[in-house]
Amino acid sequence: MNNWLKRIAFASGLLCSATALASPINITNGGFEAGQGNDISGWFHEVGHQVAYTTNQLIHNGTRYTAAEGNRFAVLPAHASIRAETNWKVGDTISFKWLALEAIDPTFQLFENGLIVTKSIDLTGATGTWHEFSYTFEDAVGQNNLPSFIGFQGFADNVYLDQSLLLVDDVKITRISVPATFGLALLGLGYLVARQRLLSST
């Protein structure tokens, strides 16, 4: 094989490997299918708050709620909080489903370096129905070698504590490998040019 073709084939293999590695970043138990009750596998509870739990259905004021995806989902009573350790790069996108019941103010939280909330985003939408939210990360994490987390919490007036609930499901982070895809396209073009030159010289 011509040296040009060998080099292109080798580089294509490397870029294909890079594309394969750039798969979605799985958050442990992002669908809340593992664990039972208050034991939410892969997620941490904030100490001192009411405790979140998972279930396959919720009956609330006569209405039955089921998971947005899969069989189970997380239920956060007012002021309960959960977080999951993960990592992300600038440009990664997190998405999840959420549902608010009664007078709860649901928030999505980032802990970019350690256990201090660095960004809190209010979730807005009608109560009683599943909504999908996505957020593209604008900042890198891990500069201080501290773990990073994403989390959820709902706030409510004391009078609504027993009725205010936040439901969360299908949490995932996606990384789009645009540079690798573009690189593969360029290599393909280079291969065709090199092949044409090789055929012309014979």
Side-chain angles (χ1 to χ4, degrees):
M1 184 186 290
N2 184 280
N3 285 337
W4 262 96
L5 296 180
K6 287 181 179 179
R7 289 171 184 170
I8 290 174
F10 178 70
S12 298
L14 288 179
L15 274 178
C16 285
S17 298
T19 304
L21 290 174
S23 56
I25 307 167
N26 291 324
I27 295 178
T28 302
N29 197 23
F32 302 100
E33 300 298 319
Q36 296 289 330
N38 296 337
D39 177 22
I40 308 179
S41 177
W43 294 79
F44 302 93
H45 295 281
E46 290 288 351
V47 177
H49 293 295
Q50 297 189 67
V51 179
Y53 59 94
T54 65
T55 184
N56 61 354
Q57 67 173 347
L58 176 71
I59 307 295
H60 184 80
N61 290 340
T63 301
R64 178 175 175 265
Y65 297 93
T66 58
E69 176 275 335
N71 297 314
R72 303 182 68 81
F73 56 96
V75 180
L76 284 69
H79 303 295
S81 177
I82 59 173
R83 67 180 188 275
E85 183 175 355
T86 185
N87 206 340
W88 62 84
K89 294 182 179 180
V90 175
D92 290 349
T93 299
I94 185 169
S95 63
F96 55 85
K97 312 290 196 317
W98 66 274
L99 186 155
L101 293 175
E102 306 298 339
I104 196 167
D105 295 322
T107 62
F108 164 60
Q109 301 169 331
L110 297 184
F111 305 72
E112 293 171 301
N113 282 286
L115 298 179
I116 304 300
V117 176
T118 54
K119 188 171 294 183
S120 184
I121 301 174
D122 293 333
L123 305 176
T124 58
T127 60
T129 184
W130 284 105
H131 302 278
E132 182 167 6
F133 178 85
S134 65
Y135 172 79
T136 299
F137 296 102
E138 302 170 347
D139 303 300
V141 295
Q143 296 94 332
N144 299 321
N145 295 320
L146 295 173
S148 301
F149 303 86
I150 57 96
F152 301 93
Q153 188 166 6
F155 301 94
D157 296 333
N158 289 336
V159 68
Y160 295 110
L161 285 181
D162 293 336
Q163 298 295 319
S164 301
L165 300 171
L166 168 61
L167 282 51
V168 180
D169 200 3
D170 194 24
V171 186
K172 56 191 175 187
I173 295 178
T174 304
R175 177 168 299 158
I176 300 175
S177 180
V178 175
T181 304
F182 182 67
L184 282 173
L186 287 179
L187 281 174
L189 180 61
Y191 172 81
L192 292 176
V193 171
R195 186 171 181 273
Q196 185 63 38
R197 287 181 178 176
L198 179 63
L199 292 174
S200 300
S201 64
T202 57

